[in-house]
Amino acid sequence: MAKRREPDLISLAFQLMAERGWCRFSFTELARRAGVPLARVYAELPGRGALLRGLGRRLDAQMFELEQAELDGMTPRERVFELVMRRLDAMAPYKEGLRAVAQAVPRDPALLLAAGCNVGLLSRRLLDATETANGPAVAAVARRVIGMIYVRTFRVWLDDATPDMARTLAELDRRLQQAEEVARWVRGLGRSRPSDAPTATAA
């Protein structure tokens, strides 16, 4: 007898969200749809935050599933571009459910916090992949910039119906270019600042 295939609770959950929205999503209905006891659902997904974190881990694993040699041959900008697009490709099966989540974020503080935590973790991982961090203050700013780039690109991706994701690609490229321009401006300020103030001499 063939072994029963375990249901993919995360995929089923986002299918339900696409149908019902974030607010009307029910773990009880998820258990019914999966054909498993509710205890089994809660053991894997104790709450909605765990559901978002579970999807985040899955997407990050797919995003980083490439040979290190591929990353080594890229500039920091190319690395961010490649990794973000890989993540968006991995998100495609969950797109309608994610749209329901995005629509609920402004009305749900707990959801906003959970989504922010996911973006924060993603930003740290993307920054680490660029291998450009230079001190905690610079790293903190860089993480915020990467997070904003990702969020803005994600919003365009949600409504991008082009077959080759042309709008998404253009948005990500434009945001990365803006970030590079700001980084060059900041470095220029640092170079133009006097290194030492003049010292007074005794008369």
Side-chain angles (χ1 to χ4, degrees):
M1 181 181 294
K3 185 178 179 180
R4 183 178 182 271
R5 184 179 179 183
E6 288 295 314
D8 184 343
L9 295 181
I10 291 177
S11 293
L12 286 173
F14 277 87
Q15 289 174 21
L16 276 173
M17 286 181 196
E19 298 169 11
R20 298 186 168 201
W22 171 263
C23 295
R24 296 182 61 197
F25 168 77
S26 162
F27 283 99
T28 301
E29 179 58 27
L30 176 59
R32 185 179 297 115
R33 183 74 60 94
V36 299
L38 190 55
R40 159 83 167 76
V41 172
Y42 281 130
E44 182 175 333
L45 302 170
R48 296 186 180 211
L51 176 57
L52 295 178
R53 289 190 297 272
L55 179 62
R57 286 192 296 269
R58 178 178 295 185
L59 296 174
D60 285 353
Q62 292 178 252
M63 174 176 67
F64 288 113
E65 201 172 53
L66 73 169
E67 296 296 329
Q68 185 60 42
E70 292 185 58
L71 283 179
D72 289 343
M74 300 178 189
T75 65
R77 173 179 174 167
E78 289 170 343
R79 292 184 188 190
V80 175
F81 189 96
E82 174 68 19
L83 290 171
V84 170
M85 290 308 301
R86 284 176 61 89
R87 197 176 204 271
L88 293 175
D89 285 341
M91 287 163 59
Y94 314 96
K95 189 169 189 175
E96 295 308 315
L98 285 167
R99 180 178 285 111
V101 173
Q103 291 170 346
V105 163
R107 304 185 299 274
D108 189 331
L111 174 57
L112 177 60
L113 178 62
C117 289
N118 269 11
V119 171
L121 177 59
L122 172 62
S123 300
R124 287 193 293 273
R125 289 175 173 174
L126 287 172
L127 178 62
D128 182 70
T130 68
E131 299 182 298
T132 58
N134 184 20
V138 174
V141 173
R143 285 195 300 270
R144 289 181 62 86
V145 170
I146 289 174
M148 287 188 290
I149 289 171
Y150 175 77
V151 168
R152 290 179 180 274
T153 304
F154 170 76
R155 289 173 179 167
V156 172
W157 172 80
L158 276 180
D159 296 319
D160 188 356
T162 58
D164 56 356
M165 291 202 295
R167 289 180 54 214
T168 302
L169 289 165
E171 178 70 13
L172 178 55
D173 187 65
R174 183 166 67 92
R175 295 299 177 184
L176 287 171
Q177 182 177 346
Q178 291 173 346
E180 284 187 326
E181 290 170 356
V182 171
R184 283 195 294 268
W185 179 72
V186 170
R187 287 196 295 268
L189 285 180
R191 286 193 295 268
S192 64
R193 188 177 302 155
S195 57
D196 294 297
T199 56
T201 57

